[in-house]
Amino acid sequence: MTILVTGAAGFIGSNFVLNWLNNEEGDVVSLDNLTYAGNLDNLSSVAKNSRHYFIKGDIGDSELISSTLEKYNPTAIINFAAESHVDRSISAPDTFIETNIFGTYKLLQNTLLYWEVLTEKQKKDFRFLHISTDEVYGDLGKDAPPFTEENRYIPNSPYSASKAASDHLVRAWYQTYNLPVITTNCSNNYGSFQFPEKLIPLCIINAINNKPLPLYGDGKQVRDWLYVDDHCDAIRVALRDGTIGETYNIGGNTEKTNIQVVQLICKFLDNLKPRPDKISYTQQISFVKDRLGHDRRYAIDATKIKKHLGWQPKETFESGMEKTIKWYLDHDEWFDKQGL
């Protein structure tokens, strides 16, 4: 089995490539356009792996996608390729529309052309797995139950709107053309290789460099946190056992306010890398003006994937965070290369 992974040099994509090569026998073709968040260093450990092939390119490049599919004959495509930072989508939405909507459309269309000429057995075995987000469901009330797969889409940012559109395109290519698709919607991921504009790596790096730890508004926005390797395991399970046409929510069963997250980071760093003056890193916490349209709460109900596919997260938030913080402390050369 050969798989094509798009967005493979990004945060979740690169973790998935490493996870796959460690747990499965098939080859991986990694495709990434290497924009600011796509980092080839994330895949350096498999650069000489005979089962791994890297291609620089855009999912919207029909000629490249077509030739790649023809050359490698993948049994599955796992689509991580996306612009994903909400703040950037607010200031510059064009790129999000181009990649997340038009790019997904072009990838689907070229995948369909490839799939239609496969043998009947190859068609039956093929899967297109689309990675999405809980943000498409919108803002969740304080006492509302977590999002299930039946929740209506109510995206509130250019990012989440573009991802919602891509999800609808994937569904349409299944309903209209019978392309064998599966969609997963995940909660907030954290772990190694996450670009340091996101909350957890930003606060780890800022803390040890004696910079402010910025929190939007009152810091009480709630997110469900999922360790990235647990997410990768869930994707492999969905690819192997998921039902065509279905959507699976993937969450960490861990709702935390942003301030709780940052306080936990400070607690671990106080023990793992104390400040020279022995004062807690919490004194670096700084509250900043809230961003536009900031959703207050997201939470995922992952009952369906647990009940039907037998997956549930292995890591607690505390154990996953300890692994994450230790990784960043041990890989300062990685984030130095990010220009931070």
Side-chain angles (χ1 to χ4, degrees), residues 12-67:
I12 306 176
S14 61
N15 274 282
F16 179 78
V17 169
L18 301 181
N19 181 289
W20 177 275
L21 291 170
N22 283 333
N23 291 282
E24 305 286 349
E25 295 183 356
D27 293 352
V28 178
V29 180
S30 290
L31 185 141
D32 198 289
N33 205 26
L34 298 181
T35 58
Y36 78 96
N39 186 346
L40 204 51
D41 287 341
N42 297 357
L43 299 172
S44 61
S45 65
V46 295
K48 297 181 180 179
N49 190 314
S50 62
R51 294 167 51 212
H52 181 249
Y53 311 90
F54 179 80
I55 300 168
K56 182 184 183 303
D58 194 314
I59 58 171
D61 184 339
S62 292
E63 184 176 340
L64 175 65
I65 296 299
S66 178
S67 63

Side-chain angles (χ1 to χ4, degrees), residues 25-323:
E25 295 183 356
D27 293 352
V28 178
V29 180
S30 290
L31 185 141
D32 198 289
N33 205 26
L34 298 181
T35 58
Y36 78 96
N39 186 346
L40 204 51
D41 287 341
N42 297 357
L43 299 172
S44 61
S45 65
V46 295
K48 297 181 180 179
N49 190 314
S50 62
R51 294 167 51 212
H52 181 249
Y53 311 90
F54 179 80
I55 300 168
K56 182 184 183 303
D58 194 314
I59 58 171
D61 184 339
S62 292
E63 184 176 340
L64 175 65
I65 296 299
S66 178
S67 63
T68 299
L69 294 174
E70 183 178 348
K71 179 177 180 180
Y72 292 100
N73 298 307
T75 306
I77 297 173
I78 299 90
N79 181 34
F80 293 95
E83 295 288 340
S84 66
H85 191 47
V86 176
D87 286 359
R88 287 177 184 261
S89 81
I90 294 170
S91 60
D94 294 31
T95 306
F96 289 73
I97 304 303
E98 181 69 25
T99 299
N100 298 354
I101 301 178
F102 191 69
T104 300
Y105 156 69
K106 296 293 283 186
L107 180 62
L108 283 166
Q109 192 65 353
N110 283 288
T111 300
L112 179 64
L113 294 173
Y114 166 76
W115 178 75
E116 286 179 332
V117 297
L118 295 177
T119 67
E120 288 306 310
K121 183 182 185 308
Q122 289 172 329
K123 284 184 178 181
K124 184 178 179 181
D125 291 341
F126 183 83
R127 297 290 183 274
F128 182 101
L129 202 156
H130 178 64
I131 311 301
S132 191
T133 171
D134 58 359
E135 295 194 36
V136 297
Y137 298 122
D139 200 4
L140 193 62
K142 180 180 178 182
D143 299 316
F147 299 126
T148 72
E149 291 81 358
E150 303 305 315
N151 272 76
R152 189 160 65 98
Y153 276 27
I154 315 177
N156 291 320
S157 70
Y159 161 61
S160 57
S162 66
K163 286 299 291 182
S166 71
D167 293 4
H168 290 320
L169 288 172
V170 171
R171 173 181 167 80
W173 258 245
Y174 166 65
Q175 294 287 346
T176 303
Y177 305 109
N178 296 316
L179 186 69
V181 307
I182 297 170
T183 297
T184 59
N185 294 80
C186 68
S187 58
N188 280 34
N189 278 221
Y190 66 98
S192 56
F193 302 122
Q194 187 169 29
F195 191 76
E197 65 188 355
K198 299 297 179 83
L199 178 66
I200 289 175
L202 176 66
C203 285
I204 296 170
I205 294 167
N206 278 14
I208 61 178
N209 285 288
N210 199 30
K211 296 180 180 179
L213 311 183
L215 280 171
Y216 281 128
D218 60 6
K220 294 182 180 179
Q221 301 86 359
V222 176
R223 300 293 183 262
D224 174 29
W225 292 94
L226 174 66
Y227 186 59
V228 67
D229 212 45
D230 280 333
H231 185 197
C232 294
D233 288 343
I235 294 168
R236 288 193 297 109
V237 170
L239 181 63
R240 183 184 67 233
D241 300 326
T243 300
I244 292 173
E246 290 292 325
T247 295
Y248 297 94
N249 281 353
I250 304 171
N253 301 322
T254 304
E255 288 189 59
K256 298 287 184 184
T257 63
N258 286 346
I259 194 167
Q260 286 176 321
V261 172
V262 176
Q263 287 171 339
L264 183 62
I265 291 171
C266 293
K267 179 182 177 181
F268 275 119
L269 287 174
D270 286 341
N271 292 321
L272 295 170
K273 191 179 179 66
R275 284 168 49 108
D277 58 11
K278 306 303 180 185
I279 297 174
S280 174
Y281 285 100
T282 54
Q283 67 90 33
Q284 294 172 224
I285 293 174
S286 173
F287 294 92
V288 299
K289 183 180 178 181
D290 209 352
R291 75 177 174 216
L292 298 173
H294 199 174
D295 290 336
R296 194 67 174 173
R297 176 178 172 236
Y298 307 135
I300 280 286
D301 181 341
T303 300
K304 180 177 177 179
I305 193 170
K306 178 180 179 181
K307 180 179 179 181
H308 294 284
L309 305 184
W311 174 88
Q312 60 183 343
K314 298 174 184 175
E315 299 291 343
T316 65
F317 187 59
E318 288 72 17
S319 66
M321 278 293 292
E322 184 173 15
K323 289 182 177 181

